[in-house]
Amino acid sequence: MNSINDYADIVGNETIEEVQKLASYLNGKIIQNINSTAVGGGVAEILNRMVPLLKELGVDARWDFIKGGEKFFEVTKKIHNSLHGIEENISESEFKHFMDITDENLKEMNLYGDIIFIHDPQPIGLIKIKKEPGYKDKKFIWRCHIDLSSANTKTFNFLKKFIEKYDYSVFSSPLFAKKLRIPQILISPSIDPLSDKNKEIPKETINEVLERFKIDPEKKIITQISRFDRLKDPLGVIDVYRLAKKYVDCQLILAGGGATDDPEGIEVFNEVLAKAGDDKDIHVLNLPPTSNIEINALQRASTVILQKSIKEGFGLTVSESLWKSKPVVASAVGGIPLQITHKYSGLLSRTIEGTAIYVKQLLQNPEYAKQLGKNGHNHVKHNFLITRHLRDYILLFLKTGFKEDTIFL
Ligand code: UDP
């Protein structure tokens, strides 16, 4: 695990000193993060790095999980999809099940934090406890990682009852903000440039990973790293590859694992395998959650990276790839346009055909691809690294956890 000072080489000493100073004002307050999974997906990815760094900064940050069975996560996945605007039929008994499991978690969990920082919809109902004696002085923040701009009204209204009981809400993009009676804070996610997933790695490691997965190092590679989720459109990625391959010989890597709170993964994985058929140039990789070096190597070995999501909260995989100076073609949805300025730091597309044309263009024009990757790297460096995120979160904690007159910066 890297120390906060190790980041000075990337972001400069001043940034580190500022974060250290801000953290010192938190003065022993306990920040209790709560979500629904330790592994898989962007929220776990961020908390895995954020919590230890906050601790090193002297902030008493903790991380707890809610529990839920298969049925609960089927309901929360439906809620997730429906908040992204996908048609889902959520019955009254499913909403009731969501509440029953919330109540069970409330009985079992200890909400000990001074600031209780709840991530995403799965644990949102824990806010019910705020009205109980002993919780009056605690501050509750709800962090939403989802693009709510086309959320299903019924599902959103169900959640809104809870959201408005929080002291603050946090969204990744101004486009996701809703009409709410509580303050909405804008904080975009981030990647850790020194984590195993993003740090520089030797060429030998990259070659070793390619060899292990039987990927030809001499043939151009198109890659999408994502959970096997329909909203990431892995089947559309295969269509894109097939169109591009008519013009440029290439191979496709579709790599991803599951998340414990995502029950659809296996089904989608099997659909992808079926569609890939016996094409030896399509590598469908089911990766265990510890595959950070492998993902790093696959991204670095790629000629072009795709993120063909249909909906996307932010899409950490885009920043991860841009950080590695890779040209990215991604859908113009959710938080992706925050990361890519079209034709400057990557390419944005809306259709399978459009994506394929851009992929072909990048495969045929390495100089253009290199320039996009370079611009993308600089954009991530200035906007989406964990040091900026730490600063934003600490400022948020200071704002919510203290009386205004005790903050002197
Ligand atoms: N990821 C991973 N293993 C996988 C698939 C994804 O470690 O098999 C990581 C990926 O590198 C990224 C995160 O999980 O850091 C996914 O975050 P993103 O915002 O792209 O999508 P989400 O899964 O949260 O919808």
Side-chain angles (χ1 to χ4, degrees):
M1 176 73 194
N2 297 290
S3 146
I4 187 73
N5 292 311
D6 297 335
Y7 295 79
D9 289 343
I10 300 171
V11 296
N13 275 324
E14 276 176 24
T15 303
I16 305 303
E17 282 162 19
E18 185 187 23
V19 170
Q20 284 167 329
K21 174 136 202 239
L22 287 170
S24 72
Y25 285 108
L26 277 168
N27 235 350
K29 293 271 174 189
I30 299 175
I31 316 293
Q32 183 180 13
N33 291 278
I34 300 175
N35 80 323
S36 58
T37 178
V39 286
V43 179
E45 178 79 18
I46 292 168
L47 288 174
N48 261 307
R49 303 296 294 175
M50 182 66 79
V51 170
L53 282 170
L54 283 168
K55 281 190 176 148
E56 195 204 329
L57 286 163
V59 179
D60 193 351
R62 323 261 186 104
W63 182 9
D64 293 304
F65 312 98
I66 54 159
K67 289 198 196 117
E70 204 176 315
K71 186 171 169 198
F72 177 72
F73 289 123
E74 271 167 25
V75 176
T76 59
K77 183 73 199 244
K78 279 187 172 186
I79 291 178
H80 174 93
N81 288 342
S82 139
L83 288 173
H84 270 300
I86 305 298
E87 194 78 34
E88 288 280 4
N89 191 9
I90 311 174
S91 66
E92 287 314 312
S93 83
E94 286 175 315
F95 281 123
K96 182 175 176 312
H97 185 71
F98 178 86
M99 288 320 305
D100 290 345
I101 300 299
T102 298
D103 289 340
E104 278 177 27
N105 275 293
L106 274 172
K107 271 189 217 133
E108 282 180 23
M109 286 182 83
N110 180 1
L111 297 186
Y112 51 78
D114 296 302
I115 296 173
I116 298 174
F117 198 11
I118 308 271
H119 299 264
D120 272 351
Q122 299 91 335
I124 197 170
L126 298 179
I127 190 67
K128 281 172 76 182
I129 204 160
K130 196 180 175 201
K131 60 179 189 314
E132 304 291 329
Y135 292 88
K136 186 169 73 40
D137 293 333
K138 294 184 187 294
K139 298 291 177 183
F140 288 78
I141 310 171
W142 185 59
R143 205 293 179 227
C144 179
H145 292 268
I146 296 172
D147 171 2
L148 294 182
S149 55
S150 50
N152 172 285
T153 310
K154 184 177 166 205
T155 312
F156 180 70
N157 284 341
F158 171 75
L159 292 185
K160 194 174 168 190
K161 296 193 297 273
F162 303 113
I163 300 172
E164 291 194 326
K165 295 197 169 74
Y166 282 79
D167 295 292
Y168 289 88
S169 57
V170 181
F171 294 92
S172 296
S173 164
L175 299 172
F176 306 167
K178 301 293 275 186
K179 218 166 179 221
L180 292 174
R181 278 181 299 188
I182 59 164
Q184 302 178 57
I185 312 276
L186 174 65
I187 299 179
S188 48
S190 66
I191 61 157
D192 183 339
L194 298 179
S195 67
D196 283 349
K197 188 169 281 162
N198 297 312
K199 69 185 184 187
E200 295 278 345
I201 49 171
K203 190 96 194 77
E204 298 78 67
T205 309
I206 300 175
N207 290 338
E208 184 275 312
V209 170
L210 291 184
E211 203 179 317
R212 185 152 29 111
F213 291 123
K214 301 189 173 50
I215 297 161
D216 180 353
E218 303 303 328
K219 199 184 279 189
K220 294 183 186 214
I221 301 173
I222 307 170
T223 299
Q224 176 162 299
I225 309 278
S226 276
R227 288 179 297 104
F228 288 96
D229 179 331
R230 292 197 180 87
L231 293 185
K232 311 284 183 183
D233 199 15
L235 300 180
V237 169
I238 296 181
D239 291 329
V240 168
Y241 151 81
R242 287 192 171 136
L243 284 175
K245 199 177 167 83
K246 286 186 188 163
Y247 301 93
V248 186
D249 192 20
C250 56
Q251 38 190 346
L252 172 67
I253 302 174
L254 269 167
T260 50
D261 60 353
D262 179 0
E264 286 177 337
I266 295 179
E267 207 178 302
V268 179
F269 181 75
N270 288 331
E271 288 168 15
V272 170
L273 280 185
K275 181 151 181 164
D278 55 8
D279 185 337
K280 296 270 175 302
D281 278 334
I282 302 186
H283 305 273
V284 184
L285 311 178
N286 189 3
L287 300 175
T290 48
S291 311
N292 293 321
I293 292 286
E294 285 79 0
I295 290 175
N296 190 340
L298 294 173
Q299 286 170 332
R300 286 183 193 275
S302 300
T303 324
V304 176
I305 305 264
L306 280 183
Q307 191 57 54
K308 222 212 123 315
S309 306
I310 291 165
K311 297 280 175 178
E312 191 61 77
F314 182 74
L316 285 180
T317 47
V318 172
S319 275
E320 287 163 7
S321 308
L322 295 176
W323 177 248
K324 296 168 183 104
S325 300
K326 290 293 160 182
V328 178
V329 185
S331 306
V333 295
I336 289 177
L338 296 172
Q339 303 173 74
I340 293 182
T341 302
H342 186 49
K343 296 192 177 172
Y344 176 75
S345 50
L347 295 170
L348 294 174
S349 60
R350 294 192 177 272
T351 60
I352 286 174
E353 292 73 21
T355 311
I357 287 170
Y358 287 141
V359 169
K360 167 179 167 277
Q361 198 182 359
L362 293 174
L363 291 175
Q364 290 177 332
N365 193 343
E367 274 313 305
Y368 180 46
K370 195 170 162 192
Q371 189 58 47
L372 292 181
K374 191 171 158 205
N375 294 345
H377 171 85
N378 285 331
H379 183 60
V380 172
K381 179 171 170 175
H382 293 117
N383 296 283
F384 301 119
L385 295 187
I386 197 160
T387 37
R388 187 275 306 152
H389 202 177
L390 275 166
R391 179 179 180 278
D392 286 353
Y393 271 178
I394 294 168
L395 283 169
L396 168 70
F397 301 149
L398 285 169
K399 183 160 177 56
T400 58
F402 290 77
K403 290 196 183 99
E404 296 290 335
D405 61 0
T406 59
I407 308 171
F408 298 105
L409 301 177

